[in-house]
């Protein structure tokens, strides 16, 4: 029996077979993968993934959904459900404790916390092989945006420094129950082997990016004045009269390094 979807948990259950099949094909699970699903809900993706992979770990916050899901998985494969808030899950420790080098993450994410989930995953990028996420289309566009685009910002820079961002396909509201008010899209994220963030202190990159885009219409000299003066910006080989939206992701790493060197 289906539960009534809860708005407060961002529950929009996928029911259109074509999109479910496309997501499973994009993930292409193998039996030796360590697959982790975020927000399995009633199992729209969980059960087909389990059929192919044979085992899966799923993280679900809503207790009411867990017994039904566990029952539905019986006879299909080994489903391990973790009752937790995904933001509290230490993916690096999870990989380590299971003796696997890297996890494969997937999920039709709860949209109300999609950016915090993405930033959380980036923190654990070294323990992740890849991620396949359903998100609001507008969020996927921001993640993949390039300098100069209106939607290029904090999310684009932080994600592109850590991952290759590959938008895969769009999904209309009717594919879900209840339909969300927005269009959705599926994206693949592949952590970069030695990602640029490693060269700088991630919290400093984050501070610079946040300040720069906090006042995106101002020049960098103005937007960054609490962190870096014009000479310091020039030391990073960047024109202090430029605006944040014209900088490539790696430019922010150079700014963060100058910021770190100031002590
Ligand atoms: N995967 C299912 C599907 O495609 O039909 C459900 C997707 S629904 C958009 C999001 C799921 O994430 C829900 O099952 C919801 O209960 C769960 N969820 C919400 N917040 C969560 C959190 N902080 N941690 C883990 N799961 C969460």
């Amino acid at each position: 029996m289906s539960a009534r979807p809860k708005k407060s948990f961002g529950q929009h259950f996928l029911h259109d077979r074509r999109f479910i099949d496309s997501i499973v094909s994009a993930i292409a699970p193998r039996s030796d993968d360590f697959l982790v699903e975020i927000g399995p809900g009633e199992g729209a993706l969980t059960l087909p993934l389990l059929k192919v992979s044979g085992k899966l770990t799923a993280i679900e916050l809503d207790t009411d959904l867990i017994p039904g899901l566990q029952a539905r998985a019986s006879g299909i494969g080994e489903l391990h459900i973790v009752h937790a808030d995904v933001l509290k899950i230490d993916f690096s420790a999870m990989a380590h404790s299971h003796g696997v080098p890297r996890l494969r993450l997937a999920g039709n994410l709860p949209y109300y916390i999609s950016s915090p989930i993405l930033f959380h995953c980036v923190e654990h990028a070294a323990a992740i092989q890849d991620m396949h996420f359903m998100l609001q289309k507008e969020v996927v566009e921001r993640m993949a945006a390039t300098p100069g685009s209106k939607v290029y910002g904090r999310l684009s820079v932080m994600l592109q420094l850590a991952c290759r961002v590959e938008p895969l396909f769009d999904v209309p509201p009717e594919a879900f129950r209840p339909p969300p008010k927005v269009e959705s899209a599926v994206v693949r994220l592949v952590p970069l082997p030695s990602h640029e963030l490693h060269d700088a202190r991630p919290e400093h990159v984050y501070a610079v990016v946040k300040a720069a885009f906090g006042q995106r219409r101002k020049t960098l000299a103005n937007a960054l004045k609490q962190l870096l003066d014009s000479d310091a910006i020039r030391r990073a080989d960047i024109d202090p009269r430029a605006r944040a939206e014209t900088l490539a992701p790696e430019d922010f790493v150079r700014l963060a390094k100058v910021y770190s060197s100031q002590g």
Side-chain angles (χ1 to χ4, degrees), residues 27-231:
I27 300 172
R30 294 168 23 149
S31 57
D32 54 350
D33 289 338
F34 195 100
L35 262 185
V36 179
E37 188 188 357
I38 300 172
E42 298 183 323
L45 294 171
T46 323
L47 304 180
L49 285 172
L50 200 55
K51 256 188 210 144
V52 187
S53 67
K55 58 181 184 341
L56 184 145
T57 296
I59 303 159
E60 177 57 64
L61 184 60
D62 183 358
T63 338
D64 293 349
L65 294 174
I66 295 177
L69 182 59
Q70 196 75 68
R72 253 172 261 134
S74 102
I76 300 180
E78 201 185 308
L79 175 64
H80 176 58
I81 306 177
V82 180
H83 174 222
D85 174 354
V86 62
L87 297 178
K88 307 248 165 69
I89 297 286
D90 181 337
F91 289 116
S92 312
M94 184 185 270
H96 186 75
S97 69
H98 288 88
V100 291
R102 284 172 308 148
L103 314 170
R104 300 194 69 196
L105 303 190
N108 170 13
L109 297 186
Y111 294 172
Y112 73 103
I113 46 162
S114 56
S115 294
I117 295 176
L118 292 168
F119 286 124
H120 180 66
C121 292
V122 162
E123 275 179 40
H124 294 279
I128 299 171
Q129 182 181 325
D130 59 16
M131 303 170 243
H132 290 82
F133 291 147
M134 173 92 75
L135 292 154
Q136 287 181 47
K137 185 177 174 189
E138 174 258 318
V139 172
V140 172
E141 284 169 352
R142 284 199 278 133
M143 291 160 72
T146 48
S149 144
K150 256 199 214 139
V151 293
Y152 180 68
R154 207 147 58 108
L155 200 58
S156 335
V157 173
M158 295 308 287
L159 282 166
Q160 290 172 32
L161 284 174
C163 303
R164 191 178 81 228
V165 179
E166 221 182 299
L168 297 181
F169 50 87
D170 296 346
V171 182
E174 315 80 76
F176 304 85
R177 178 183 65 90
K181 291 203 176 69
V182 291
E183 290 284 322
S184 301
V186 174
V187 66
R188 175 184 290 137
L189 297 169
V190 183
L192 302 171
S194 62
H195 67 69
E196 306 266 1
L197 273 173
H198 286 158
D199 291 349
R201 290 178 56 180
E203 67 276 23
H204 287 176
V205 179
Y206 190 77
V208 167
V209 171
K210 191 172 173 210
F213 284 105
Q215 307 190 50
R216 60 187 291 142
R217 313 207 35 197
K218 292 196 173 170
T219 62
L220 288 169
N222 250 315
L224 294 179
K225 66 171 177 262
Q226 307 292 336
L227 307 175
L228 296 161
D229 63 21
S230 292
D231 283 343

Side-chain angles (χ1 to χ4, degrees), residues 226-247:
Q226 307 292 336
L227 307 175
L228 296 161
D229 63 21
S230 292
D231 283 343
I233 297 172
R234 272 189 217 98
R235 280 206 297 286
D237 270 335
I238 290 163
D239 182 347
R241 293 166 303 179
R243 294 203 181 132
E245 64 204 34
T246 65
L247 264 52

